Amino acid sequence: MRLPFLSLLLAGTLTVGAQTTTEAQLLCPTDDDAVERPLFKTLPGKTPYRIPAIAVNRRGTLIAVSDYRPCGGDIGFGKVDLRYRLSDNNGATWSRELVLTEGDGVNGSKTCGYGDAAIVSDRSSDEAVVVCVTGNTVYGHGTTNRSNPNRVAVLHSRDGGHTWSQPVDITEQVYSLFDKSNLGPVDAMFFGSGRICQSKLVKVGRYYRLYAALCARPGGNRVVYSDDLGRTWQALGDIHTSPAPNGDEPKVEELPNGDVLLSSRVSGGRLFNIFHYLSEHNATGAWEQQPVLSQKENGGIKALQNSTNGEILLVDARDNATHRPVCLALQSVPLGPGRANVGIYYKALPTNKRRAPEWEHYTAKDFESDDIGQRIQHHGATNRRAHCFLLRRRNLRQGRLLHQYVRSAHIGAHHRRKIQRFAHPVATQGETPLS
């Protein structure tokens, strides 16, 4: 029996699951190996790396991206570049560090820096997309407004993430979606860094639909979708309401029936909401009237201050007790205090079938309550700057991308055994299960 495989990428270190490793363990790690691989490592007195993102292309190549910050601070404070590395063997070995795009560092320039990347690789072609913040404006500053916003850029790859186009500024295309909102125009926004969600079910034209969640002010989170692989975007749902008015850094994931789940950072836990489709092709439907605050629900996620980003991911698994395939929801959060002790909450959804009666009245409250409170805890992640992102690999192993400002850490078999009830990944169409 082979367990679902968890790996971490620190801005610093990729952890594939022994504190000492051989080359054989690197190439073929076992359930009890926790292999660490430095990738983007910040050294004392050197330029820092922060805010990682990760994707896997349809040929199985991992694409890891990180901010490289000559200015020393967040995007908006000065020169920030994006760097990336590639792996063709599930993270055992990696390419040299490459430049995805560079900021010019010019004060006030619209191309001063590029950072906070969100990434996706198309499931049916060799194309990949990065959306990022660009410019010299700071999200929370009062001088950042509709006429001087956080800018948005998109970059495309046509060879599975090996080479990339020049950035294309799409600021006005995205901001203008909300100019006529009753909430008022958006003054500042950014795409939630890490993973852009691509639908497995909804395909309009050439591509499967993309979903991305926006951290925005005023008015809270928004969600957008793209049917042309990130070249243009549309609002998902009514522009006059926010699916999470008090939400911070958000992520989205597709439920087995095609509806869209929003998970947003909030003090103490997460905010959840679901967009219920009326027509997938026409992208019509509605968000639930109010988001669900996780820590108020029975058995819900609790994460003290929760002062960092996280990830929501659905994976196919098999329940060892019943031998039935299930859809397992994973939510990464720092368990606290502050950004320390990264953990993963998990639960099995009621069904993995798209057309099933269980979805007819399914709500965000149903998602959040009860056994979503089960968790595995990564005690090693004690640094105060931990961002964790999850990845569904092409060989059905799960990857985990974790940013820590300095320290490295690992998840060993002790933690993986806590989810052994859901041990065997289940192949989806076009994929092969682990042997």
Side-chain angles (χ1 to χ4, degrees):
M1 180 179 70
R2 189 172 292 190
L3 299 179
F5 194 75
L6 294 174
S7 66
L8 311 86
L9 176 63
L10 309 108
T13 302
L14 176 83
T15 303
V16 192
Q19 300 187 34
T20 60
T21 57
T22 65
E23 185 65 22
Q25 287 173 317
L26 283 170
L27 294 173
C28 300
T30 68
D31 289 337
D32 293 318
D33 291 329
V35 181
E36 296 185 353
R37 170 69 68 188
L39 285 185
F40 306 107
K41 192 169 184 179
T42 298
L43 301 173
K46 300 296 183 180
T47 299
Y49 296 87
R50 282 209 65 201
I51 316 298
I54 193 168
V56 58
N57 69 25
R58 66 172 181 158
R59 303 180 190 279
T61 299
L62 295 172
I63 312 163
V65 181
S66 175
D67 282 14
Y68 177 75
R69 297 181 164 184
C71 75
D74 288 345
I75 183 67
F77 283 100
K79 180 176 171 58
V80 176
D81 307 331
L82 288 174
R83 303 287 181 90
Y84 71 107
R85 299 182 71 178
L86 305 169
S87 174
D88 293 323
N89 52 14
N90 273 323
T93 59
W94 290 80
S95 72
R96 63 185 177 86
E97 188 174 301
L98 303 166
V99 176
L100 200 155
T101 189
E102 290 185 286
D104 58 32
V106 176
N107 187 40
S109 168
K110 293 179 180 180
T111 56
C112 181
Y114 295 92
D116 283 22
I119 188 171
V120 64
S121 185
D122 185 39
R123 64 175 61 255
S124 58
S125 75
D126 289 328
E127 294 187 60
V129 183
V130 164
V131 180
C132 63
V133 182
T134 181
N136 194 200
T137 56
V138 178
Y139 176 78
H141 284 189
T143 56
T144 303
N145 52 45
R146 181 63 183 88
S147 60
N148 184 39
N150 290 129
R151 306 195 70 81
V152 185
V154 61
L155 302 93
H156 279 84
S157 172
R158 296 185 178 275
D159 56 9
H162 288 80
T163 61
W164 293 84
S165 70
Q166 292 297 309
V168 175
D169 192 306
I170 59 169
T171 304
E172 285 305 309
Q173 195 276 310
V174 179
Y175 275 78
S176 65
L177 297 173
F178 307 101
D179 280 349
K180 296 181 180 180
S181 170
N182 293 341
L183 301 174
V186 172
D187 287 330
M189 71 163 70
F190 58 88
F191 281 58
S193 60
R195 184 179 67 96
I196 295 173
C197 173
Q198 185 171 37
S199 174
K200 294 192 294 184
L201 304 172
V202 183
K203 187 177 184 181
V204 179
R206 181 178 175 183
Y207 301 106
Y208 286 90
R209 181 167 291 167
L210 303 184
Y211 299 105
L214 309 178
C215 188
R217 65 169 180 83
N221 295 149
R222 314 302 209 276
V223 176
V224 292
Y225 72 93
S226 174
D227 289 332
D228 57 8
L229 209 68
R231 292 170 176 84
T232 61
W233 297 84
Q234 303 295 327
L236 185 68
D238 181 7
I239 66 170
H240 304 298
T241 59
S242 166
N246 298 314
D248 200 313
E249 293 170 309
K251 294 296 180 64
V252 284
E253 176 63 299
E254 183 181 57
L255 292 173
N257 69 336
D259 288 347
V260 180
L261 172 69
L262 172 72
S263 171
S264 184
R265 165 186 161 188
V266 71
S267 179
R270 306 292 292 184
L271 286 170
F272 291 102
N273 204 336
I274 295 176
F275 181 84
H276 299 277
Y277 269 115
L278 293 175
S279 169
E280 294 168 348
H281 185 271
N282 296 322
T284 56
W287 294 97
E288 296 174 17
Q289 285 191 333
Q290 295 292 331
V292 173
L293 185 60
S294 66
Q295 59 266 43
K296 290 189 176 181
E297 298 303 314
N298 180 39
I301 291 174
K302 296 177 176 63
L304 297 181
Q305 299 168 21
N306 193 21
S307 55
T308 190
N309 206 343
E311 186 67 82
I312 181 76
L313 183 72
L314 269 58
V315 296
D316 295 314
R318 189 180 300 279
D319 189 325
N320 278 348
T322 65
H323 304 291
R324 294 179 179 176
V326 297
C327 183
L328 198 64
L330 308 175
Q331 172 68 62
S332 64
V333 288
L335 301 175
R339 301 184 177 193
N341 293 317
V342 172
I344 298 176
Y345 283 83
Y346 63 96
K347 72 175 296 180
L349 299 187
T351 177
N352 64 348
K353 299 184 182 303
R354 184 178 187 183
R355 311 293 184 192
E358 287 89 343
W359 299 119
E360 290 182 9
H361 304 289
Y362 192 78
T363 67
K365 189 178 181 71
D366 295 321
F367 175 82
E368 171 50 32
S369 60
D370 301 326
D371 56 350
I372 190 68
Q374 299 181 76
R375 74 188 189 205
I376 53 175
Q377 183 168 346
H378 178 34
H379 295 281
T382 56
N383 189 274
R384 294 190 303 170
R385 293 184 177 270
H387 292 248
C388 181
F389 307 118
L390 300 167
L391 169 72
R392 185 188 299 109
R393 294 188 182 177
R394 293 292 189 238
N395 67 353
L396 302 183
R397 294 181 174 187
Q398 295 86 54
R400 181 167 172 230
L401 177 68
L402 175 69
H403 167 78
Q404 286 183 275
Y405 193 60
V406 179
R407 297 188 57 184
S408 301
H410 68 274
I411 289 183
H414 169 72
H415 302 300
R416 291 198 300 275
R417 279 193 288 267
K418 290 189 177 183
I419 56 172
Q420 64 182 352
R421 177 184 170 192
F422 308 106
H424 286 284
V426 176
T428 56
Q429 187 174 5
E431 296 179 314
T432 304
L434 290 170
S435 58

